[in-house]
mmCIF file of all heavy atoms in Angstrom:
data_model
loop_
_atom_site.group_PDB
_atom_site.id
_atom_site.type_symbol
_atom_site.label_atom_id
_atom_site.label_comp_id
_atom_site.label_asym_id
_atom_site.label_seq_id
_atom_site.Cartn_x
_atom_site.Cartn_y
_atom_site.Cartn_z
ATOM 1 N N ASP I 800 -32.538 69.046 -82.639
ATOM 2 C CA ASP I 800 -32.818 69.987 -83.617
ATOM 3 C C ASP I 800 -31.600 70.267 -84.531
ATOM 4 O O ASP I 800 -31.748 70.363 -85.781
ATOM 5 C CB ASP I 800 -33.109 71.387 -82.926
ATOM 6 C CG ASP I 800 -34.472 71.249 -82.261
ATOM 7 O OD1 ASP I 800 -35.255 70.389 -82.646
ATOM 8 O OD2 ASP I 800 -34.729 72.026 -81.306
ATOM 9 N N ARG I 801 -30.348 70.233 -83.982
ATOM 10 C CA ARG I 801 -29.210 70.350 -84.768
ATOM 11 C C ARG I 801 -29.006 69.209 -85.822
ATOM 12 O O ARG I 801 -28.639 69.344 -86.893
ATOM 13 C CB ARG I 801 -27.997 70.512 -83.930
ATOM 14 C CG ARG I 801 -28.011 71.746 -83.062
ATOM 15 C CD ARG I 801 -26.566 72.046 -82.508
ATOM 16 N NE ARG I 801 -25.930 70.987 -81.768
ATOM 17 C CZ ARG I 801 -26.092 70.809 -80.505
ATOM 18 N NH1 ARG I 801 -26.825 71.638 -79.743
ATOM 19 N NH2 ARG I 801 -25.571 69.751 -79.892
ATOM 20 N N GLU I 802 -29.285 67.987 -85.263
ATOM 21 C CA GLU I 802 -29.201 66.753 -86.159
ATOM 22 C C GLU I 802 -30.203 66.834 -87.291
ATOM 23 O O GLU I 802 -29.900 66.483 -88.412
ATOM 24 C CB GLU I 802 -29.389 65.507 -85.272
ATOM 25 C CG GLU I 802 -28.271 65.232 -84.312
ATOM 26 C CD GLU I 802 -28.522 63.898 -83.575
ATOM 27 O OE1 GLU I 802 -29.632 63.362 -83.734
ATOM 28 O OE2 GLU I 802 -27.602 63.547 -82.761
ATOM 29 N N VAL I 803 -31.377 67.339 -86.959
ATOM 30 C CA VAL I 803 -32.440 67.405 -88.071
ATOM 31 C C VAL I 803 -31.981 68.413 -89.048
ATOM 32 O O VAL I 803 -32.128 68.223 -90.304
ATOM 33 C CB VAL I 803 -33.745 67.828 -87.412
ATOM 34 C CG1 VAL I 803 -34.726 68.128 -88.519
ATOM 35 C CG2 VAL I 803 -34.309 66.701 -86.567
ATOM 36 N N ALA I 804 -31.371 69.508 -88.591
ATOM 37 C CA ALA I 804 -30.923 70.559 -89.481
ATOM 38 C C ALA I 804 -29.820 69.975 -90.427
ATOM 39 O O ALA I 804 -29.708 70.253 -91.667
ATOM 40 C CB ALA I 804 -30.448 71.825 -88.799
ATOM 41 N N ASP I 805 -28.927 69.288 -89.796
ATOM 42 C CA ASP I 805 -27.789 68.703 -90.527
ATOM 43 C C ASP I 805 -28.272 67.755 -91.571
ATOM 44 O O ASP I 805 -27.742 67.607 -92.750
ATOM 45 C CB ASP I 805 -26.781 68.040 -89.621
ATOM 46 C CG ASP I 805 -26.021 69.064 -88.765
ATOM 47 O OD1 ASP I 805 -25.989 70.244 -89.222
ATOM 48 O OD2 ASP I 805 -25.543 68.651 -87.740
ATOM 49 N N THR I 806 -29.287 66.938 -91.192
ATOM 50 C CA THR I 806 -29.851 65.959 -92.188
ATOM 51 C C THR I 806 -30.544 66.680 -93.360
ATOM 52 O O THR I 806 -30.404 66.211 -94.471
ATOM 53 C CB THR I 806 -30.897 65.011 -91.425
ATOM 54 O OG1 THR I 806 -30.184 64.344 -90.360
ATOM 55 C CG2 THR I 806 -31.403 64.092 -92.308
ATOM 56 N N ASN I 807 -31.266 67.730 -93.054
ATOM 57 C CA ASN I 807 -31.943 68.487 -94.109
ATOM 58 C C ASN I 807 -30.901 69.145 -94.982
ATOM 59 O O ASN I 807 -31.135 69.193 -96.212
ATOM 60 C CB ASN I 807 -32.821 69.663 -93.442
ATOM 61 C CG ASN I 807 -33.956 69.098 -92.766
ATOM 62 O OD1 ASN I 807 -34.420 67.904 -92.951
ATOM 63 N ND2 ASN I 807 -34.516 69.812 -91.776
ATOM 64 N N LEU I 808 -29.753 69.536 -94.501
ATOM 65 C CA LEU I 808 -28.677 70.085 -95.363
ATOM 66 C C LEU I 808 -28.139 69.060 -96.232
ATOM 67 O O LEU I 808 -27.928 69.244 -97.460
ATOM 68 C CB LEU I 808 -27.550 70.629 -94.467
ATOM 69 C CG LEU I 808 -26.356 71.212 -95.160
ATOM 70 C CD1 LEU I 808 -26.775 72.310 -96.146
ATOM 71 C CD2 LEU I 808 -25.326 71.690 -94.244
ATOM 72 N N VAL I 809 -27.898 67.820 -95.695
ATOM 73 C CA VAL I 809 -27.374 66.741 -96.594
ATOM 74 C C VAL I 809 -28.348 66.329 -97.689
ATOM 75 O O VAL I 809 -28.114 66.152 -98.846
ATOM 76 C CB VAL I 809 -27.041 65.486 -95.722
ATOM 77 C CG1 VAL I 809 -26.693 64.275 -96.576
ATOM 78 C CG2 VAL I 809 -25.858 65.810 -94.748
ATOM 79 N N THR I 810 -29.732 66.270 -97.302
ATOM 80 C CA THR I 810 -30.737 65.987 -98.257
ATOM 81 C C THR I 810 -30.787 67.073 -99.352
ATOM 82 O O THR I 810 -31.032 66.723 -100.581
ATOM 83 C CB THR I 810 -32.058 65.830 -97.555
ATOM 84 O OG1 THR I 810 -31.954 64.842 -96.538
ATOM 85 C CG2 THR I 810 -33.158 65.499 -98.460
ATOM 86 N N ALA I 811 -30.669 68.311 -98.969
ATOM 87 C CA ALA I 811 -30.667 69.400 -99.919
ATOM 88 C C ALA I 811 -29.565 69.318 -100.858
ATOM 89 O O ALA I 811 -29.655 69.614 -102.122
ATOM 90 C CB ALA I 811 -30.692 70.689 -99.258
ATOM 91 N N GLU I 812 -28.313 69.003 -100.406
ATOM 92 C CA GLU I 812 -27.244 68.876 -101.299
ATOM 93 C C GLU I 812 -27.391 67.722 -102.247
ATOM 94 O O GLU I 812 -27.063 67.828 -103.419
ATOM 95 C CB GLU I 812 -25.938 68.654 -100.378
ATOM 96 C CG GLU I 812 -25.498 69.804 -99.616
ATOM 97 C CD GLU I 812 -24.301 69.527 -98.764
ATOM 98 O OE1 GLU I 812 -23.925 68.335 -98.609
ATOM 99 O OE2 GLU I 812 -23.683 70.525 -98.159
#
Side-chain angles (χ1 to χ4, degrees):
D800 293 338
R801 296 199 304 270
E802 290 181 357
V803 171
D805 293 338
T806 301
N807 293 336
L808 177 59
V809 173
T810 303
E812 291 177 350

